[in-house]
Every structure is written in structure tokens, then in C-alpha cells.
Amino acid sequence: MKITNPFGVDVFELVLWLVEFSPYVIGSYVALVCYTLTSVGGPGLSPKKSAVHSTRLACASLLLPGLILGLVGSVIVGSWEDAYVRGYDIFHRPSLRAKLEEYIETGESDLTHVLESGKYAPTFGLHEVGYLMRDLLRHTVLHSDEHNEGNIDEGYNKGNDWFKATLGSSMMYTTGLYKMGKETLEEAQDYKIDYVADAIQLEPGMTVLDIGSGWGYLTNRLTEKYGANVTGITLSREQLAYATELNENNGAKIHLQDAMQIKERDDLPRDGFDRITSLEMAEHVGIRRYQEFLGLVHDMLKDDGVFYFQVAGLRRAWRYEDLTWGLFMGEHVFPGADASCPLGWVSTQVERAGFEIQRVHNMGSHYSRTLAHWLENWRANKDYIVGRYGPMPYRRWEVFLAWSVRAARQGSSTLFMLTLTKAGQEGRR
């Protein structure tokens, strides 16, 4: 029995529930405090009753902050307890995150050794707690349209040369598919797009909406190879410029558009789209607005349409390294992308939104291979990146890629591919 969780409470499930229903939780909390405040009574109360009411008010006021601090505290202490039980030398060596930050700052040590030696414990420290309190809670609980726009510069507007140095010629920022395991990155990305086209049973002339179209390669291939009428949307101006040039004169349409506000447009098909795709974009929607996003997709998809939904996720039987890696990613790579969740949570969400799951795959090992290819590209372009952006940004991105290779390889992070139709559409099944 663990000291920090003697009753075996599923902290992950509790946190997901609190975030998803945060407006109701906060509203209930405010109502409770107001009710307690108004029921305190007047000055005529006896000292004993006044003390009782004051105690009730204090308890009500501290309920939600106490729950949040308790959860954070249990994770912090739990990570140290877990590291001690697993035999890490937590008293004489820095944590894994602290050692990686040292590498980013100085370039000393061997990155592979730091990640793979098992000497540095994935305990929660000042880096994790600072980010959690400073930024993550605000983005996770509120997650407004303004947050989405504000996160784009850090996530996707670093410079197209930065991403080409990582992603290669296809500029696909999503996992590839490796039929034999020996494919090049470009071959794996083409296989993935061909898989998407097969999954949605794409035919020439069909209308397709690609939500989070990135640098436009998927749009390009579905348009030019499969003859689809594709509309792509992105929130990044740099992606828009690149994708527009890539798809010049092929008939595809690329828009600068927040997916959460897409129904405000008047230039989309009134009867909906035949097919909708979204590849590793919904993580940015956030846990709190996941249902809102899926509802938008459901409304824009024709009744006999197909929705291909690809999302990065986490394993259900989590470990503390999963959380420390995830917080690093949120701080430095994908700010605001808090909706990377286990498959059970994702499947519940899509079914609640009115979809039926026709096909699902866990492709975490392919994700790890893709990341390994990105890491090779990044290291091959070291001189250019260091010369243009500096050594610390280079090493921080190297840590992201190398740590993510490990995370996807061991199952901390994974990749889900879901093919969905509208529930109740018998002919489409």
C-alpha cells in the first residue's frame, strides 16, 4: 500500500473528470461558498453558533483549492516515493528533468545516456510545479479561442526552415506508417496518407475537410492522387503560406481558420462534407472543449459521411515519467495541447458525440519510428539550426525528439487511428 494513495484512488481519472466538467465544478463551488456565506446569520448569533458558521464558511471556501493542492501534492510526493521504491538514488543525483535542463543549458553529458541509463528519476520538482501553476491550469481549465491563437507561435510558427529540418520534404507533422519497418520517412508518410484514403473510402469528386491541415501535404495528395475536392484549415500563418504555394493551381482550398469558429464561414458546402479528416490536431482543442469540437465535426459531416480521427494519446496504466515528459512537451513543444488522453477516454468522447467507431488502431511503435527519423533529420541539420537559432534552442528540440522516441517506444505516448461514422446510419455501416 502506497503512503500517498492508500485507498487506490485513480488520480488520472479524477483529474480528467475535474477538467472536463470544470465549469460545473467551479460553478458548484461558487454556489456552495455563496450559500454558506449568506447562511452565516446576523450579529445576534451566540459565540458558539458564530464559530460553527465561520468554520463551515472556511471549509467551503477551501474545498476546491484544497482538492487541487492535494492532488498536486500527492503527485509530487508520489513521484518521489515511487522513485525510492524503484531504487533510484534520489538523494545524490538530480531528477531526469533537471539533468535534461542542464544538458539544454550547457550541452554537457550524453543525451542518450541521460535518458536511457536509468540513473535519473522522473520525479516532480520545481520545473514541473512551476509550469503546472503558471500555465497548465490556466490553459486547461479556461482554454479559450484566444489561448489557441496565442499558442500557435510557440507550436507552429518557429519558422518553416525549422520544421523542414525536422520533418523532411513532406513536412508532415504526424506519424508515418511503416509496412515493413525499413521504409524511409517519406515512404512512411505516403503510406499513412494512402491508409487514410482507404479508411474513409475516398472517391474522386468527394468533398473533404482537413482540420489542422498543417503544411498541406495531405491536402495535396488527396487532391492530386485521389481527385478529391479538399478544403484545409490551419491557425498558423506560416503553414498557410507554405500550403498555399504547395497546392497552387490544383483546386484545393486552404484557409486561415480556428476550427472552433469554422461554422461562422459562409463559403463551405451547405449540405456538409462527404469526408472529414483530423490528424493529431484535436489535442490542442483541450479536454474541456473536446465535446464541442466533436459536435462541430458531427454537424459538418454528411449523414453517410466518414470521419478519420487521428490523435496522440497516453497509456492508461501511467507512470511518473509519462507525466514529466508530458509537462515538458506542454511547456516547450505543444502549449495548450492537454487532450492527449487514453484510448478509453477518447472512445467515450466520440461515442458521446454521436459517432460509431468502425476501426481503431494503436500505432505507438510507428510513432516512435517516425520520431527517430525526425531526430536523425534534426541532428543532420545541426550546423544550420545552431547558426540560425542558437545552441540552446537546438538542444531543447533535440531533447523533445529523443525523449519522445523513448516515450512512444515504451508506450508512455502512443497514437490512435479511428475511423468513425455517424451512429444510427445503417447504410453507412
Side-chain angles (χ1 to χ4, degrees):
M1 183 173 68
K2 291 188 176 183
I3 298 173
T4 53
N5 193 4
F7 302 108
V9 176
D10 192 333
V11 176
F12 200 173
E13 194 70 31
L14 178 58
V15 170
L16 286 175
W17 186 88
L18 286 173
V19 173
E20 182 179 354
F21 298 102
S22 57
Y24 305 101
V25 173
I26 294 172
S28 300
Y29 166 70
V30 171
L32 176 63
V33 172
C34 291
Y35 172 77
T36 306
L37 183 64
T38 57
S39 65
V40 168
L45 287 176
S46 66
K48 183 176 181 180
K49 288 186 176 181
S50 179
V52 170
H53 283 297
S54 297
T55 301
R56 288 176 180 174
L57 178 60
C59 291
S61 301
L62 295 174
L63 181 61
L64 187 57
L67 177 60
I68 294 173
L69 291 175
L71 286 172
V72 174
S74 68
V75 172
I76 295 171
V77 177
S79 71
W80 284 81
E81 178 190 6
D82 181 76
Y84 180 78
V85 171
R86 292 178 181 273
Y88 286 101
D89 187 358
I90 58 176
F91 299 108
H92 300 96
R93 286 198 175 100
S95 69
L96 178 59
R97 175 67 185 275
K99 189 66 177 177
L100 289 171
E101 292 292 338
E102 177 186 305
Y103 171 78
I104 292 170
E105 183 174 349
T106 67
E108 298 176 358
S109 300
D110 178 82
L111 178 56
T112 301
H113 176 77
V114 173
L115 288 169
E116 304 291 351
S117 66
K119 292 182 178 180
Y120 305 100
T123 50
F124 269 56
L126 294 178
H127 292 290
E128 290 80 9
V129 175
Y131 170 63
L132 193 67
M133 295 301 185
R134 181 182 66 253
D135 198 54
L136 182 63
L137 287 176
R138 176 173 62 91
H139 274 110
T140 301
V141 173
L142 299 177
H143 211 111
S144 65
D145 293 333
E146 289 73 21
H147 285 147
N148 288 336
E149 295 177 6
N151 292 331
I152 286 296
D153 285 342
E154 176 67 25
Y156 299 99
N157 285 340
K158 295 177 181 293
N160 287 336
D161 58 340
W162 176 287
F163 286 102
K164 181 155 282 189
T166 306
L167 309 176
S169 60
S170 68
M171 292 287 276
M172 287 288 292
Y173 206 6
T174 58
T175 189
L177 284 184
Y178 296 79
K179 287 186 177 181
M180 304 302 295
K182 298 180 179 180
E183 289 81 1
T184 66
L185 176 61
E186 289 70 26
E187 289 172 337
Q189 293 293 9
D190 284 346
Y191 286 152
K192 185 266 302 295
I193 296 174
D194 292 340
Y195 171 85
V196 173
D198 176 74
I200 61 178
Q201 300 177 353
L202 188 60
E203 297 177 3
M206 284 185 170
T207 56
V208 179
L209 174 64
D210 184 27
I211 303 176
S213 54
W215 288 271
Y217 188 65
L218 175 70
T219 297
N220 180 273
R221 194 166 175 85
L222 294 184
T223 299
E224 298 185 359
K225 180 177 180 179
Y226 292 94
N229 297 317
V230 184
T231 299
I233 62 170
T234 176
L235 201 49
S236 164
R237 295 185 182 276
E238 293 187 10
Q239 288 183 342
L240 174 69
Y242 189 98
T244 299
E245 183 177 351
L246 179 65
N247 290 280
E248 189 176 11
N249 300 322
N250 68 5
K253 300 174 183 177
I254 311 291
H255 300 298
L256 187 70
Q257 176 65 55
D258 186 340
M260 305 305 290
Q261 300 172 359
I262 190 171
K263 294 186 75 173
E264 297 177 3
R265 301 190 69 92
D266 58 6
D267 57 349
L268 302 178
R270 292 187 177 182
D271 58 344
F273 288 89
D274 297 307
R275 304 291 187 263
I276 296 179
T277 59
S278 179
L279 280 66
E280 299 175 44
M281 171 273 173
E283 298 88 335
H284 291 283
V285 170
I287 294 170
R288 190 179 71 78
R289 303 186 71 183
Y290 217 77
Q291 274 298 301
E292 180 184 351
F293 168 72
L294 291 173
L296 288 170
V297 174
H298 193 277
D299 290 345
M300 291 187 296
L301 183 66
K302 289 182 179 180
D303 287 345
D304 62 348
V306 182
F307 175 32
Y308 177 82
F309 192 39
Q310 182 170 306
V311 289
L314 301 174
R315 58 182 167 189
R316 190 65 189 77
W318 59 274
R319 296 181 180 179
Y320 285 101
E321 185 179 349
D322 306 358
L323 301 184
T324 55
W325 168 81
L327 291 178
F328 175 87
M329 295 284 286
E331 185 173 359
H332 294 300
V333 184
F334 297 121
D338 60 78
S340 292
C341 297
L343 179 59
W345 186 87
V346 175
S347 61
T348 297
Q349 293 295 316
V350 297
E351 290 177 340
R352 186 186 296 168
F355 290 104
E356 181 179 357
I357 301 172
Q358 302 298 343
R359 183 193 299 181
V360 61
H361 293 293
N362 183 337
M363 308 302 289
S365 61
H366 295 254
Y367 200 23
S368 183
R369 287 191 181 99
T370 304
L371 285 156
H373 271 137
W374 292 347
L375 179 60
E376 290 175 9
N377 287 345
W378 187 248
R379 286 173 170 166
N381 289 285
K382 178 179 179 180
D383 291 343
Y384 172 79
I385 294 296
V386 170
R388 182 170 174 81
Y389 295 97
M392 285 184 59
Y394 169 81
R395 288 194 293 267
R396 181 172 288 112
W397 201 252
E398 183 190 21
V399 168
F400 145 56
L401 293 169
W403 201 356
S404 297
V405 169
R406 169 180 167 82
R409 187 190 70 229
Q410 68 186 8
S412 304
S413 172
T414 191
L415 196 285
F416 306 127
M417 294 174 158
L418 295 90
T419 304
L420 311 171
T421 60
K422 288 188 173 182
Q425 295 299 318
E426 183 177 346
R428 177 68 266 174
R429 302 182 78 244

